[in-house]
Amino acid sequence: MDYKLPVGAFEQQPRTPFYYYDLKLLDDTLSSIREHSAYPGYKVHYAVKANANPIILKRIADAGFGADVVSGGELSAAINAGFTNDTIVYAGVGKADWEIELALNKNIACLNVESMAELEVIEEICHRMGKSVCVALRVNPNVDAHTHHYITTGLSENKFGIDIEKLDEIIARCQNSDCIKLKGLHFHIGSQITETTPFENLCKRINEIQDKYNEKGIYFETINVGGGLGINYDDPEAEPIPDFKSYFETFNKHLNLREGQELHFELGRSVVCQCGSLITKVLYVKNGVVKNFVIVDAGFSDLIRPALYQAHHKIENLTGHGGSEKYDVVGPICESSDCFGEQETLPVTHRGDLIAIRSAGAYGEIMASQYNCRQLPDVLAK
Ligand code: LLP
């Protein structure tokens, strides 16, 4: 299946830069997830942090997925988009009191708790509000995701989750509570994971943990394995839809689910990344002393991933003249890190050409800022 960028529609857009979302590709991605996750007890919650554009969120809610949120703002965005309360789970290492109150008021499905200190505050707030709540304990499994160190989360040195040594104590506290119902365990090892081994290792770790607790007569209704499935940034055409088949098969093969147990996933990037591109216009072509620069009207305020994580997104000149030339593709922001690609081979490029920065549907628009008092990027979804 071909998902061509509609260049004609781009030329009519009043303002660049803008995010273009291919809704057909999003729908096909959602169908693929539905098809390949159809094992008993499997449930996918979309990680709203990847992209909270209301059009995208509504589409995912309408397709019947749940939502994984990490702030009061995301919780409200999910509810506004039509996710029902009982399909929303809330994770996050630093929930403020008002956010816990909002979650309790909205009766969401589950709070993922990351420390004893947090559990105590949740209990206190429950008592004050006369409420009870289901929780899952986020465990730090100490499994290496082999990804960029900024987006590795499941190692003992990371700030996330409860150390396995402290789990007994927190479980006991839940069992003795009159307002906390312990539902399950939550894990997340990192993001943009492109090998199966880290997921297999996570499964093995979860099996050990479950065996240990089952022996003590403690059972969990849900196991949540987080998100993390990576996508192909180098060649988005080759893989517009990530390999969900192998992903879910890995869990089906390696994770020993208990009778009636639910397995939850929190996929973000893999759901929305390939359906989005950042479309920008060439302002100037500047021939430097050692390099040629293409200066575009998008900057790291619009897409921060290259500057922040040294990420590379495929860059295409959509206006497409002949020839070929090497350029550094840079933005207008006054920092040298405002660079989308070094020594990119593009057709000979001119002022006014449209450039697409691909695979920008996840952690793109949502991480945009107004640095340099720039306007936020526009959106075209069709
Ligand atoms: N669940 C939890 C607890 C998470 O922390 C995350 C992502 C997800 C699920 C979703 O992971 P995904 O399926 O999208 O990999 N801004 C970075 C990515 C940060 C990911 C943070 N946590 C980037 O642009 O690469």
Side-chain angles (χ1 to χ4, degrees), residues 6-311:
V7 183
F10 294 168
E11 279 157 3
Q12 282 145 35
Q13 268 297 100
R15 187 165 78 81
T16 48
F18 60 89
Y19 275 92
Y20 162 67
Y21 296 119
D22 181 336
L23 297 179
K24 169 82 172 77
L25 176 51
L26 175 61
D27 289 344
D28 291 351
T29 307
L30 295 171
S31 305
S32 171
I33 298 174
R34 193 177 306 108
E35 178 189 342
H36 297 299
S37 66
Y39 296 104
Y42 282 32
K43 273 193 180 171
V44 177
H45 295 101
Y46 166 64
V48 172
K49 64 173 81 64
N51 188 323
N53 182 291
I55 301 169
I56 302 275
L57 280 189
K58 184 172 182 318
R59 208 91 176 179
I60 299 173
D62 289 350
F65 291 90
D68 154 48
V69 303
V70 291
S71 71
E74 282 192 4
L75 176 51
S76 302
I79 289 175
N80 291 341
F83 289 96
T84 52
N85 312 1
D86 56 340
T87 63
I88 301 178
V89 297
Y90 183 170
V93 68
K95 303 180 191 76
D97 293 15
W98 73 267
E99 295 179 303
I100 297 171
E101 286 161 16
L102 180 67
L104 293 178
N105 271 327
K106 297 291 179 192
N107 296 317
I108 64 165
C110 191
L111 280 178
N112 295 340
V113 172
E114 305 219 4
S115 66
M116 181 66 106
E118 183 192 340
L119 189 71
E120 286 169 3
V121 171
I122 294 173
E123 244 190 330
E124 214 178 281
I125 297 178
C126 277
H127 284 152
R128 179 161 31 86
M129 293 174 68
K131 292 257 185 190
S132 59
V133 69
C134 290
V135 305
L137 300 177
R138 176 160 176 187
V139 180
N140 188 326
N142 199 19
V143 169
D144 195 343
H146 301 141
T147 183
H148 191 279
H149 63 283
Y150 280 11
I151 51 177
T152 289
T153 52
L155 288 175
S156 295
E157 69 205 49
N158 300 131
K159 70 179 174 187
F160 300 98
I162 298 164
D163 197 65
I164 202 88
E165 307 295 316
K166 302 210 176 97
L167 200 53
D168 280 355
E169 195 191 341
I170 303 196
I171 290 178
R173 171 86 191 224
C174 292
Q175 286 174 328
N176 292 325
S177 172
D178 54 358
C179 56
I180 305 273
K181 177 171 175 2
L182 177 59
K183 260 199 128 167
L185 298 179
H186 176 219
F187 304 84
H188 174 74
I189 53 174
S191 196
Q192 184 53 18
I193 300 169
T194 49
E195 313 159 24
T196 10
T197 322
F199 293 121
E200 286 179 23
N201 291 340
L202 174 63
C203 292
K204 288 181 195 146
R205 197 81 188 94
I206 296 175
N207 291 340
E208 289 164 12
I209 295 173
Q210 291 226 82
D211 288 346
K212 174 181 154 192
Y213 282 101
N214 290 175
E215 266 174 36
K216 297 186 192 182
I218 298 172
Y219 292 86
F220 304 101
E221 279 174 44
T222 60
I223 295 293
N224 181 337
V225 290
L229 176 62
I231 63 115
N232 188 341
Y233 280 99
D234 297 328
D235 194 354
E237 273 95 20
E239 240 179 302
I241 299 179
D243 187 357
F244 293 110
K245 183 169 185 289
S246 312
Y247 174 73
F248 289 109
E249 264 172 13
T250 301
F251 288 93
N252 185 50
K253 193 159 155 213
H254 297 279
L255 188 70
N256 302 331
L257 269 197
R258 307 310 197 231
E259 184 78 32
Q261 199 169 41
E262 285 187 0
L263 184 59
H264 294 183
F265 298 84
E266 298 170 342
L267 295 173
R269 187 190 316 264
S270 52
V271 183
V272 290
C273 203
Q274 298 295 37
C275 81
S277 297
L278 177 62
I279 310 299
T280 175
K281 201 171 258 175
V282 176
L283 295 174
Y284 306 104
V285 178
K286 176 173 162 181
N287 297 322
V289 183
V290 284
K291 285 173 156 186
N292 297 325
F293 294 95
V294 164
I295 304 172
V296 295
D297 62 3
F300 74 56
S301 56
D302 304 293
L303 176 67
I304 201 172
R305 301 196 70 260
L308 188 58
Y309 313 113
Q310 298 79 48

